[in-house]
Amino acid sequence: MGEYFGEILQKALSRRDTLKLALFGGAGLMVGGFVNSLAKTSQPLSFKTIYPNSEDRITVPEGLDYKVVIRWGDALDNGENLNWDAIYEDGPTDQDIERQKKCFGYNCDFVGFLKTPDGRVLLAVNHEYTNPELMFKDFSAPTPNQSKLMLEAHGLSVVEIKRKSDGSWEYVRNSPYNRRITGSTPIEITGPARGHNLMKTSYDPEGKEVKGTLNNCAAGITPWGTVLTCEENFHSYFAGNRDQLQDDLVKGIHQRYGVPSTRSANYGFHNIDNRFNINQEPNEAFRFGWVVEVDPMDPQSKPKKRTALGRFKHEAAMSVVAPDGRVVVYMGDDERFEYIYKFITKSRFNPNNRQANMDLLDEGELYVAKFNDNLMGEWILIAKAEKNPDGSYRITPNPNLPQEFKDDPALCFINTRGAADALGATKMDRPEDVEWNPVTKSVWAALTNNDRRGTSGNSPIDYANPRANNVMGHIIEIKEDNQNPASLSFSWSIPILCGDPNSFDPNRKLIIYGQFASSDVPAISAPDNFAIDRLGNVWIATDGNPSSSRLRKNDGVYVLNPFTREFKMFLSGAPGCEICGPEFSDDWKTFFCAIQHPGESGWQTRWPYDGTANVPRPSVIAVWRRDGREIFA
Ligand code: FEO
Ligand code: CA
Ligand code: CA
């Protein structure tokens, strides 16, 4: 695109150019057959907005309360809590490492609310990564025990919770559903990459089972009640020297995914297990970067890495049932200039037989998105995977792919980024959550930021990523043809370009549906995860407000009403935290979220100040209205 973003905006705002007005979701315009109609009867957001702040506490609007539900180190069994203060002062003992396997993990991210058949309530919570600089007084070079504790603090927790009479929630110790899955839990590899040569290691010569899941960022709940937990920045854990690898294919794919990473020094996993050294186990990194399906209803069940959904830095995996019964899973690859994907199952969802759905995600078609400058777009097939009766796979790659993907079609799933590059997909500004909104019947995608857009050697701006040096981020709405998630073409618009309404720089200014936001609208940057409420309001959790290049305020939760176009701030977090896992209870009366890494990047806090801890502790909180009404009422 030859124009500067400001020129596009100018045209949009002057209403001389209908196409460009539509870029921002202009009302009533026909774009590719889609009418963005305003629902005049929709319910306005009733709560009084708060504003970004730097206070050392959680802030919620008037009339609401919040309370911590569970924190890092809280015991899920009947044993002792983790001894977080002693671990900080003296480092972890062998016993502490054993306790971490039974205690709530670090850096909670995704939060999923589930009901068991016998009416109990469970939370499934991801533990994305660890902050050695906050967990340990002496962290400069992790000791083996520090590394072992951190490996066990990763993964996810399933925990039963109960509501109390005052509207708060507490977790249930020793519930039969409580479970930890960590960086060392055995996990089965399923789908088209199972048993592939690149999936084999010395400890697993058949390429069928991995130790653990790592960097579980966001996730999604399937229509059959399993959790799709997503491995995001898995490269962070691998050390070694890529130039010393003999195999050019291995070397090339590792390079495309940033393996190894200098971040591995913070974790030191390669010091406790050779599998994290790419020179000792060149293939172990291929066994991460997947969507992992966990059945929280069966604590004995073995989690499964579903390779048909592709390998990349998975932010989340949000599913929806298409009108014909096939299940569509939307996914973002969170790195600068990466892609938005979707997977369509081969078979149909069976609402009457849970068991019949348990392997639905092993067969289907993987697509990547191309956003055209005419505000239309298409889903480009990467490959189709089907299972033979003997368990082997028939893989049909896109015929336009280079020969290496035709010769070895499982590479479409192992080197998904390479396949998407070859097919000309659109490089986006760090795709985070991509989620179907059942009320607007459209897909919402968060593009958190990209400070390299338009810089030398990188992709220039385009209509879908219209800001150079996009530090504030934006949100795209994808309108699938016929409002059918299984469609292969769509139109799109940009409801929000994030920023501060009081900025004078159009690149940093908050723009909602093409209009400069008025000065009383709260500033927002770095949108990350969504939750959609019963009315179709889009709840947006942020990860990046505190940065000196953005708002220098705490991260928060914001709500966009896509019908009235109101935009308010609902919650402000603790210093240095990001907010993750926005989620609702099934009666919509509680809002849950994760307060991840309070105190990161030098922000001073010991939140949640629970009286027993001298260190900050990542936690899940619940928010409710004192009048007992639905949270958005
Ligand atoms: Fe882990 Fe993309 O956030
Ligand atoms: Ca995220
Ligand atoms: Ca994030």
Side-chain angles (χ1 to χ4, degrees):
M1 181 168 59
E3 292 168 285
Y4 175 61
F5 163 71
E7 294 172 38
I8 296 173
L9 182 68
Q10 209 62 48
K11 287 181 181 172
L13 296 180
S14 70
R15 296 175 182 266
R16 283 195 303 259
D17 186 326
T18 52
L19 181 71
K20 289 175 178 105
L21 180 57
L23 174 60
F24 306 105
L29 286 173
M30 289 292 290
V31 182
F34 175 83
V35 180
N36 187 355
S37 56
L38 290 175
K40 294 193 176 64
T41 55
S42 68
Q43 189 174 318
L45 301 173
S46 68
F47 67 88
K48 191 174 166 201
T49 191
I50 61 166
Y51 290 93
N53 65 58
S54 311
E55 293 177 32
D56 189 4
R57 65 186 182 104
I58 305 287
T59 317
V60 293
E62 291 169 17
L64 287 99
D65 273 332
Y66 89 91
K67 201 167 177 186
V68 170
V69 181
I70 190 165
R71 299 155 289 205
W72 168 51
D74 285 344
L76 299 184
D77 60 3
N78 271 335
E80 296 289 314
N81 286 342
L82 206 61
N83 200 345
W84 40 79
D85 288 335
I87 287 171
Y88 178 79
E89 288 294 332
D90 307 322
T93 63
D94 290 351
Q95 198 188 343
D96 293 326
I97 296 161
E98 287 307 305
R99 286 309 303 149
Q100 181 61 86
K101 294 176 185 176
K102 304 284 185 190
C103 293
F104 197 68
Y106 204 81
N107 272 349
C108 28
D109 197 298
F110 172 78
V111 178
F113 181 98
L114 298 124
K115 274 254 177 92
T116 66
D118 57 349
R120 301 188 198 208
V121 177
L122 307 180
L123 288 186
V125 182
N126 279 352
H127 303 297
E128 186 180 21
Y129 66 103
T130 50
N131 288 87
E133 77 281 14
L134 301 175
M135 301 164 82
F136 313 119
K137 194 180 201 172
D138 181 4
F139 63 93
S140 47
T143 64
N145 269 13
Q146 286 177 341
S147 296
K148 286 177 190 171
L149 184 102
M150 289 195 280
L151 188 66
E152 298 305 326
H154 278 69
L156 63 147
S157 295
V158 177
V159 57
E160 184 177 346
I161 58 169
K162 265 191 181 153
R163 181 147 43 192
K164 295 165 73 174
S165 56
D166 66 355
S168 67
W169 293 77
E170 62 183 0
Y171 82 95
V172 179
R173 276 197 173 213
N174 210 32
S175 159
Y177 290 96
N178 288 0
R179 179 179 192 186
R180 279 302 321 283
I181 293 166
T182 76
S184 60
T185 306
I187 299 184
E188 189 176 347
I189 299 168
T190 76
R194 175 181 165 91
H196 188 274
N197 275 340
L198 292 178
M199 302 296 278
K200 297 175 180 170
T201 65
S202 60
Y203 81 88
D204 175 32
E206 294 197 330
K208 295 178 179 171
E209 187 183 285
V210 191
K211 287 183 200 168
T213 179
L214 290 170
N215 217 268
N216 303 73
C217 185
I221 296 174
T222 62
W224 51 97
T226 58
V227 174
L228 302 181
T229 177
C230 294
E231 297 181 324
E232 194 189 30
N233 292 305
F234 66 90
H235 64 300
S236 307
Y237 308 100
F238 291 91
N241 183 342
R242 194 169 58 226
D243 293 336
Q244 288 174 5
L245 295 174
Q246 301 298 317
D247 186 321
D248 285 342
L249 178 67
V250 172
K251 206 190 278 187
I253 303 176
H254 282 348
Q255 181 169 18
R256 182 64 183 82
Y257 285 78
V259 173
S261 163
T262 53
R263 289 191 212 174
S264 60
N266 294 339
Y267 300 107
F269 291 175
H270 56 288
N271 297 325
I272 57 168
D273 195 333
N274 285 342
R275 67 191 174 109
F276 293 108
N277 180 335
I278 64 164
N279 301 113
Q280 308 250 1
E281 285 287 1
N283 290 351
E284 180 70 352
F286 293 126
R287 295 139 62 84
F288 292 84
W290 301 104
V291 172
V292 187
E293 186 166 14
V294 174
D295 183 3
M297 304 303 159
D298 177 4
Q300 306 308 321
S301 59
K302 192 170 180 179
K304 293 176 175 173
K305 298 205 179 188
R306 299 293 189 187
T307 63
L309 278 68
R311 176 172 170 269
F312 42 92
K313 294 177 187 174
H314 280 279
E315 168 71 24
M318 301 302 304
S319 43
V320 56
V321 181
D324 68 3
R326 290 180 296 164
V327 180
V328 180
V329 185
Y330 290 97
M331 302 174 285
D333 180 355
D334 181 10
E335 196 158 7
R336 297 177 190 93
F337 306 108
E338 292 300 338
Y339 307 113
I340 291 175
Y341 297 86
K342 79 175 176 186
F343 178 79
I344 307 178
T345 58
K346 179 185 173 188
S347 303
R348 290 166 169 69
F349 169 60
N350 184 340
N352 303 313
N353 181 356
R354 183 172 194 252
Q355 201 52 40
N357 304 308
M358 294 306 271
D359 290 319
L360 265 187
L361 298 177
D362 279 344
E363 293 181 277
E365 294 162 341
L366 181 62
Y367 293 88
V368 64
K370 185 164 193 276
F371 293 80
N372 299 319
D373 280 354
N374 62 0
L375 309 183
M376 308 295 284
E378 61 196 288
W379 293 101
I380 306 171
L381 177 74
I382 293 177
K384 179 178 182 177
E386 297 168 284
K387 209 169 183 175
N388 295 316
D390 67 357
S392 64
Y393 273 82
R394 264 186 336 279
I395 303 171
T396 315
N398 183 317
N400 297 324
L401 280 168
Q403 195 61 37
E404 64 178 280
F405 291 98
K406 295 175 185 163
D407 293 344
D408 186 358
L411 288 180
C412 296
F413 301 98
I414 297 169
N415 182 19
T416 306
R417 285 182 166 185
D421 293 341
L423 293 168
T426 303
K427 296 178 182 302
M428 308 299 287
D429 286 346
R430 289 189 55 195
E432 300 258 22
D433 221 343
V434 184
E435 188 155 342
W436 178 260
N437 182 328
V439 182
T440 61
K441 297 192 188 304
S442 57
V443 182
W444 291 70
L447 299 158
T448 192
N449 60 75
N450 183 351
D451 56 6
R452 294 191 197 155
R453 171 76 61 184
T455 58
S456 164
N458 286 313
S459 297
I461 54 172
D462 55 33
Y463 272 65
N465 302 278
R467 280 172 160 171
N469 184 23
N470 181 14
V471 287
M472 294 298 191
H474 62 291
I475 292 174
I476 280 197
E477 185 180 3
I478 298 168
K479 297 134 188 165
E480 300 272 27
D481 282 0
N482 305 313
Q483 300 183 333
N484 179 352
S487 290
L488 299 183
S489 51
F490 56 86
S491 62
W492 58 270
S493 60
I494 300 180
I496 299 186
L497 287 154
C498 296
D500 183 342
N502 296 309
S503 173
F504 294 106
D505 177 352
N507 238 30
R508 302 176 60 86
K509 207 167 169 65
L510 175 59
I511 296 167
I512 301 178
Y513 290 101
Q515 307 289 327
F516 290 129
S518 60
S519 57
D520 60 350
V521 174
I524 178 175
S525 71
D528 192 336
N529 289 114
F530 295 135
I532 312 290
D533 69 26
R534 187 171 59 76
L535 304 179
N537 295 314
V538 181
W539 296 58
I540 306 157
T542 68
D543 173 14
N545 280 355
S547 162
S548 59
S549 65
R550 300 198 186 90
L551 308 182
R552 293 189 180 88
K553 307 280 191 199
N554 298 338
D555 270 310
V557 176
Y558 299 78
V559 190
L560 172 72
N561 180 325
F563 303 105
T564 63
R565 301 184 171 181
E566 291 166 288
F567 185 74
K568 294 186 177 181
M569 187 175 189
F570 176 78
L571 183 144
S572 168
C577 81
E578 70 172 278
I579 315 259
C580 312
E583 175 66 305
F584 304 101
S585 57
D586 60 343
D587 62 5
W588 307 99
K589 290 184 175 179
T590 306
F591 173 82
F592 296 96
C593 65
I595 306 297
Q596 187 180 143
H597 58 71
E600 192 174 70
S601 301
W603 291 82
Q604 293 304 308
T605 183
R606 286 190 292 111
W607 189 90
Y609 294 101
D610 55 17
T612 65
N614 292 317
V615 291
R617 293 165 71 198
S619 307
V620 173
I621 64 169
V623 186
W624 67 95
R625 289 177 61 114
R626 277 187 220 122
D627 62 13
R629 295 165 67 200
E630 291 176 323
I631 197 85
F632 47 73

Coordinates of all heavy atoms in Angstrom, one line a residue, residues 109 128 217 232-233 315 334 430 432 528 543 578, ligand 1:
D109 N -2.5 -18.1 32.8 CA -2.9 -17.4 31.6 C -4.4 -17.8 31.3 O -5.3 -17.2 31.9 CB -1.9 -17.8 30.4 CG -2.0 -16.8 29.3 OD1 -3.1 -16.7 28.7 OD2 -1.0 -16.2 29.0
E128 N 1.8 -20.3 31.8 CA 2.5 -20.1 30.6 C 4.0 -20.2 30.8 O 4.7 -20.9 30.1 CB 2.2 -18.7 30.1 CG 2.8 -18.4 28.7 CD 2.5 -17.1 28.1 OE1 2.1 -16.2 28.8 OE2 2.6 -17.0 26.9
C217 N -0.2 -20.8 26.7 CA -0.6 -19.4 26.7 C -2.1 -19.4 26.9 O -2.6 -19.7 28.0 CB -0.1 -18.7 25.5 SG -0.5 -16.9 25.5
E232 N 2.9 -21.8 23.1 CA 3.2 -20.6 22.4 C 4.7 -20.5 22.2 O 5.3 -21.1 21.3 CB 2.6 -19.4 23.1 CG 2.6 -18.1 22.2 CD 2.3 -16.8 22.9 OE1 2.5 -16.8 24.2 OE2 1.7 -15.9 22.3
N233 N 5.4 -19.7 23.0 CA 6.9 -19.5 22.8 C 7.7 -20.6 23.3 O 8.6 -20.5 24.2 CB 7.2 -18.2 23.5 CG 6.6 -17.0 22.8 OD1 6.7 -16.8 21.6 ND2 5.8 -16.2 23.6
E315 N -1.2 -19.1 20.1 CA -1.8 -18.3 21.2 C -3.0 -19.0 21.8 O -3.0 -19.1 23.0 CB -2.2 -16.9 20.6 CG -3.1 -16.1 21.5 CD -2.3 -15.5 22.7 OE1 -1.1 -15.4 22.6 OE2 -2.9 -15.2 23.7
D334 N 1.4 -16.1 17.5 CA 1.8 -14.8 18.0 C 3.3 -14.6 17.9 O 4.1 -14.9 18.8 CB 1.4 -14.8 19.5 CG 1.8 -13.4 20.1 OD1 2.2 -12.5 19.3 OD2 1.7 -13.3 21.3
R430 N 1.2 -9.7 14.9 CA 1.2 -10.6 16.1 C -0.2 -11.0 16.5 O -0.8 -10.5 17.4 CB 1.9 -9.9 17.3 CG 3.4 -9.8 17.2 CD 4.0 -9.3 18.6 NE 3.6 -10.2 19.6 CZ 3.7 -9.9 20.9 NH1 4.3 -8.7 21.3 NH2 3.3 -10.7 21.9
E432 N -3.0 -12.7 18.3 CA -3.3 -13.3 19.6 C -4.6 -14.0 19.5 O -4.8 -14.9 18.6 CB -3.3 -12.2 20.7 CG -2.0 -11.4 20.7 CD -1.1 -11.9 21.9 OE1 -1.2 -13.0 22.4 OE2 -0.2 -11.1 22.3
D528 N -5.0 -8.6 23.8 CA -4.5 -9.9 23.8 C -5.6 -10.9 23.7 O -5.8 -11.5 22.7 CB -3.6 -10.1 25.0 CG -2.7 -11.4 25.0 OD1 -3.1 -12.3 24.3 OD2 -1.7 -11.4 25.7
D543 N -2.1 -6.9 27.3 CA -0.7 -7.3 27.7 C 0.3 -6.3 27.1 O 0.8 -6.6 26.1 CB -0.4 -8.7 27.2 CG 1.0 -9.2 27.5 OD1 1.7 -8.5 28.3 OD2 1.4 -10.2 26.9
E578 N 0.2 -8.8 33.2 CA -0.7 -8.8 32.1 C -2.0 -9.4 32.6 O -1.9 -10.2 33.6 CB -0.1 -9.5 30.9 CG 0.0 -11.0 31.0 CD 0.4 -11.7 29.7 OE1 -0.5 -11.9 28.9 OE2 1.6 -12.0 29.5
Ligands
FEO1 FE1 1.3 -15.6 25.5 FE2 0.6 -14.2 22.8 O1 0.5 -14.2 24.6

